[in-house]
Every structure is written in structure tokens, then in C-alpha cells.
Amino acid sequence: MENRNMAHISSSSSSKPNIVVFPFMSKGHTIPLLHLAQLLLDRGLATVTIFTTPANHPFISQSLAGAHVSIVDLPFPRNIQGVPPGVESTDKLPSMALFIPFVRGLELMQPAFEQELEKIHSQVTCIISDGFLPWTLESASRLGIPRLSYYGMSYYSMAVSRDAAFSGLMSSPETDDEPFTVKSFPWIQITRNDFDEPFNRRDPSGPHLDFINQAVTATANSYGLLVNTFYDLEQQFADYCNHDCHLRTWSIGPLCLAKLQKNKILQSEKPGWMHWLDQKLAQERPVLYVAFGTQASISPTQLQEIALGLEGAEVSFLWVVKKSDVELLSEDFQSTVSERGIIVTDWVDQEEILEHPIVQGFLSHCGWNSVLDGICAGVPILAWPMMAEQGLNAKLVVEEIKVGLRVGTVDGRSKGFVTANNLKSAVRELMGSGEGKQLREKVKEIAKAAIEATSEGGSSWNALSNLINEIQREKEINSSKLTTVDICTK
């Protein structure tokens, strides 16, 4: 691996396209693009240069240990209002209320990005940047480099959101929980509460909306959009995005099936939670994996209900909890469930956990990465959306793909409070031998389809190949035109 302030591409690799990858500073956004980088390298499709910041560099270099990539560090902006010094990722923000100041602050990186990009731009075939870095389109355009956008969202969430917004139906219901029918997909009913701020308002406005509009406009004016899914999983929603939204999209996932090269030094010992899962396998006691991502904020009262629900469900579970939240769990709870439950506060390899044969259920916030991790591991999902587009992902999981159940709220609202009894019932149903067994059988079928899509000759495999070939041909044509102009002017 090449870790330099300025990337260098050797002459031996100059015949391959060189792809610049610029992830957004958040683990959930970064990891899929690292999977993509690994995929491009493993298949010999391109060389890769990754742009990041100093604090995010170690995670990237460790994730791609042994891979021949160049990493360019850009200085992180100083004095972003509200963002503590040294925080260079949304995972470490004290509150997600700082999201807009954070992403706006990143715009200050544009001059440094362009300065480094200009050093290698003649060798760069295209830029793949996160949709939350919309200013990279302007930088790419200045240097004549095509830009591909990546959001890490499902086609379903993009299509339903777009159709609801353009139809004007979002402002029609009198209450936030009154259902209305999506015009282009009449079998789907949604509410404003299926959306997060500011889209759950009748008349959304404000800085957050301004930023989303900027990001969407940049994507619409880019070369195209990469989508972490496979076509057969979301065919009708993919077609809508391509035709009705006039977007060029490529379905190149699930990217989680492109395994990152693990740092052998860091992986020399099996983590304690994996030993625990091995013990449960030996005891033939199926495990529920519980994780709500790094961004969601759970109230102390709700956290206590989760604990009581897991205790009452009487199933084995592995629960990933923020360190700050563990203190809110009583010692009685931890001692009561110690034989059949384990609480983990460290960063875990979620894919590795889900792929363990004893894990047979996943209580999830339904972030798109987690949905794909569960599907590809053949594990059904108990959906409990908490923020962003997770409410729509949950509907996709339960109503469209039919590989999960929805946790019931106390008042039936999509973002309502979940009692211990509701959680207990849902967990028992998911882990049981009735509907839970049917869901496990269904999700394994879809996992097989995902593997086929990403294998040689599959739809995602071919989509990535076709994309790389297309942008390489365009670069060669443009280079030929420039050479001809140069000759004619001499």
C-alpha cells in the first residue's frame, strides 16, 4: 500500500484506468466504497487512489491492508462551529444535530482537493465521490474528469422519496401518521413519519433541505450514480430511477460481498464475542444479533425497554451498545442475562458476526448497509428504523422483499415508542419455528441471488465491467482528440 501525501501511479499500471475514490467521513459511507476499491483491485479493473483526511487514514489503510492503493491525505478544516477539534467523522460527533455544520465545513477542503487532483488529473479516468461531497463535481468538471456519485441508499428509498415529493402528496395529509398512496407505486402506502427531518414536515425548508437539494442537483449533473444493490432485488424501482428520474445508474452490489483484506496483525486473535458465538453454536442455541448503528440516539427509557424485552424473550443475543449507553443498563440485567446474552461496546465486524452459523436473527435500525449485510448472510431482519431513510428501508424489507418483520410501536406510529412486551413478542416470532422459519428460508434464497449477481457473468459483475470499459473508452477518445488538436496547432 502506498501512503503518501501525493498519489503516484507507476508506469506499469498506466494501461489500466485509475479511479479516484473520495468517501464521506462516516464509517457507514466509507466501508462500502472501500469494498468497491477492493473489488476493482481484485478484478484487475483499475488502479485506485483514495482521498481522505489524516484521522480517517488509519481505518482506510487497515481495511485495505496489503492492497496496492494510493492514499492522499487532505487537511481537515479547522474551527468548524460546534465540531470538537480532532473529530473528522460523523461517528464521533457529539450530536447528529451538527451534521449540517460538519458537511458545510467540508466544503473548505475543495482547494486542497483540487491542488492534489491537479497533480494526477491527466492519469485519472474518473472520480467516485460520496453524494454528500457535492462540491467535488465542480472540481472534477474544472479538470475534465467525469464524476460518479454514490449515496449508499436503496433504489426503493430514492424512488419512493422522489415520487412522493414531486407528486406533492407529502403535504396533503392532515397528520404525520396519516397514510397516503405513492402515485407511481400504488400498492405502497407511506406517511410523513416514514421520513426524517425536514421531509416529515408539510412544508419542508431550512439548511438541511438546501444541502440535500445541492447534493441531488450535483448527482443529476454527474456522469451517473452507483447503487449498492443488485438489479433483481429492486428491479421496478431501479427502472423508475433510470427512466423517470433520468439518472444513469449502475447496480454494482451488494458490495459487502467483496471482502476486505483483513490486517493479519490485528486479526491474530479471535475476538471474545466470536468465541462466545462458537460456544452458542456448540450448545445449539440460536443467537439474535442486535445493533442500531453508530448514529442513532436512543433515550434512556427506550434503552431500558430494549433490555427488558431481550430479557423477556428468553433467547440468546449479542447486543452492540455504545459505551455511553452501557452505564444506563442495570447490573441486575447484565447479571440476569449473562448466560445467554453478551453486550459488546467495541467496534465489531458485523459481516463476520452475521455470517456465523448460529446467528439466526438481526434486530436492526435498517441502515442500508446493515440490510445488505443481513440479506447476504441469509439472516432475517427485525426492523426498527430510527432515522434518515431507514423507515423506507424497513418497508422494503418487510413489504417488498419479505425477509423480515417490523417491531410494533405502542401507538402504531412508525417512529413511536417500543415497549418491552412488543419487542419480546417480535423477537420470539422472528426466532421461532413459524413465520421466522419461513423468513429464514426466503432470505437464504435472496442471499443466493445476491452471490450470483456479484459472481462472474452476474448482473452486478457485468455492470461494473461495462462502466469501467465505458469511461476508459471515453478517456481514450478525449485524449485522442486533444492529441489531434495539439498536432494541428503546431
Side-chain angles (χ1 to χ4, degrees):
M1 177 174 296
E2 214 173 297
N3 299 332
R4 304 183 179 183
N5 288 331
M6 184 183 78
H8 169 73
I9 305 167
S10 66
S11 58
S12 62
S13 61
S14 59
S15 59
K16 290 182 182 179
N18 180 253
I19 310 296
V20 165
V21 177
F22 197 171
F24 179 65
M25 296 77 181
S26 173
K27 291 287 195 306
H29 287 245
T30 297
I31 291 173
L33 287 181
L34 297 185
H35 280 124
L36 175 58
Q38 186 74 59
L39 187 60
L40 291 168
L41 296 169
D42 288 347
R43 291 182 54 188
L45 293 173
T47 58
V48 177
T49 302
I50 298 177
F51 281 75
T52 189
T53 68
N56 291 293
H57 185 128
F59 178 78
I60 290 174
S61 61
Q62 290 168 9
S63 298
L64 294 172
H68 297 288
V69 301
S70 297
I71 301 178
V72 179
D73 285 347
L74 302 176
F76 192 83
R78 296 181 178 180
N79 302 320
I80 299 177
Q81 186 174 5
V83 177
V87 172
E88 298 183 11
S89 172
T90 61
D91 309 272
K92 298 185 182 300
L93 287 175
S95 168
M96 283 307 291
L98 294 170
F99 174 76
I100 292 301
F102 183 88
V103 293
R104 287 303 185 192
L106 297 181
E107 295 171 1
L108 299 173
M109 297 173 63
Q110 187 170 358
F113 175 62
E114 291 181 4
Q115 183 179 4
E116 292 297 331
L117 188 61
E118 193 165 5
K119 297 174 183 177
I120 59 171
H121 80 277
S122 63
Q123 300 160 306
V124 175
T125 308
C126 79
I127 294 171
I128 299 172
S129 70
D130 195 284
F132 286 174
L133 304 173
W135 46 268
T136 57
L137 173 63
E138 182 181 6
S139 302
S141 300
R142 283 177 183 170
L143 296 170
I145 305 171
R147 182 241 187 188
L148 288 157
S149 183
Y150 173 83
Y151 281 107
M153 296 171 64
S154 62
Y155 278 119
Y156 178 96
S157 63
M158 290 188 288
V160 170
S161 298
R162 193 257 188 192
D163 198 76
F166 274 69
S167 66
L169 292 173
M170 292 284 283
S171 60
S172 299
E174 291 295 324
T175 66
D176 293 342
D177 288 290
E178 181 181 339
F180 61 91
T181 301
V182 181
K183 187 175 180 181
S184 295
F185 311 103
W187 65 93
I188 298 175
Q189 285 200 325
I190 56 176
T191 71
R192 278 199 298 270
N193 257 341
D194 286 318
F195 297 84
D196 210 359
E197 289 279 351
F199 305 102
N200 57 355
R201 304 179 197 156
R202 295 188 73 173
D203 187 19
S205 62
H208 199 144
L209 181 65
D210 294 340
F211 172 71
I212 295 299
N213 285 336
Q214 179 190 357
V216 169
T217 299
T219 295
N221 290 310
S222 295
Y223 192 84
L225 175 69
L226 302 182
V227 186
N228 186 11
T229 190
F230 62 104
Y231 180 70
D232 285 346
L233 186 69
E234 303 183 78
Q235 181 175 344
Q236 53 203 334
F237 306 106
D239 291 342
Y240 173 91
C241 289
N242 275 284
H243 301 143
D244 294 65
C245 303
H246 306 291
L247 272 176
R248 295 192 71 203
T249 70
W250 287 266
S251 308
I252 58 169
L255 292 170
C256 59
L257 291 174
K259 302 301 181 187
L260 296 175
Q261 300 293 325
K262 304 297 182 185
N263 188 316
K264 293 182 179 179
I265 296 176
L266 296 177
Q267 295 291 320
S268 59
E269 293 186 9
K270 184 183 288 190
W273 56 85
M274 293 303 292
H275 284 295
W276 183 85
L277 289 174
D278 290 342
Q279 292 173 4
K280 295 303 166 190
L281 179 61
Q283 297 168 1
E284 298 183 347
R285 297 178 63 179
V287 171
L288 173 74
Y289 173 56
V290 183
F292 300 111
T294 57
Q295 311 286 356
S297 178
I298 303 174
S299 71
T301 305
Q302 184 64 88
L303 200 71
Q304 292 295 337
E305 290 296 308
I306 295 173
L308 291 171
L310 292 176
E311 181 181 345
E314 298 182 337
V315 300
S316 297
F317 63 87
L318 188 160
W319 184 8
V320 179
V321 183
K322 293 179 182 178
K323 290 181 180 179
S324 58
D325 288 342
V326 169
E327 301 170 359
L328 301 174
L329 300 175
S330 69
E331 292 183 5
D332 287 344
F333 166 73
Q334 297 188 52
S335 62
T336 300
V337 301
S338 60
E339 287 299 314
R340 57 180 175 81
I342 182 173
I343 295 172
V344 180
T345 58
D346 299 322
W347 177 265
V348 300
D349 186 330
Q350 178 164 281
E351 295 170 38
E352 189 176 29
I353 289 174
L354 286 167
E355 289 169 358
H356 196 287
I358 201 59
V359 175
Q360 295 187 20
F362 182 14
L363 174 56
S364 171
H365 63 307
C366 284
W368 187 236
N369 291 338
S370 291
V371 169
L372 291 176
D373 286 347
I375 287 174
C376 291
V379 176
I381 296 168
L382 184 53
W384 187 346
M386 297 190 174
M387 57 180 290
E389 85 286 5
Q390 294 164 8
L392 297 178
N393 290 339
K395 290 180 72 68
L396 173 65
V397 165
V398 176
E399 299 173 11
E400 298 291 331
I401 308 176
K402 294 181 172 58
V403 293
L405 303 173
R406 185 74 175 257
V407 174
T409 58
V410 68
D411 55 7
R413 303 176 64 186
S414 59
K415 293 181 182 176
F417 189 80
V418 175
T419 65
N421 279 335
N422 280 351
L423 179 58
K424 177 182 71 174
S425 298
V427 167
R428 286 181 172 177
E429 189 172 3
L430 185 79
M431 301 295 286
S433 58
E435 186 172 1
K437 181 180 179 182
Q438 296 174 8
L439 292 172
R440 285 189 286 278
E441 292 172 353
K442 178 67 181 294
V443 73
K444 289 185 187 304
E445 292 176 7
I446 296 179
K448 181 180 178 182
I451 293 170
E452 291 174 352
T454 53
S455 299
E456 186 169 359
S459 60
S460 294
W461 175 287
N462 291 338
L464 186 58
S465 296
N466 292 339
L467 170 61
I468 299 300
N469 289 336
E470 180 181 318
I471 58 176
Q472 177 71 341
R473 282 196 305 270
E474 292 208 7
K475 179 177 174 60
E476 291 170 354
I477 291 171
N478 291 334
S479 297
S480 176
K481 288 178 180 178
L482 289 173
T483 303
T484 302
V485 169
D486 185 54
I487 292 173
C488 292
T489 55
K490 287 183 178 180

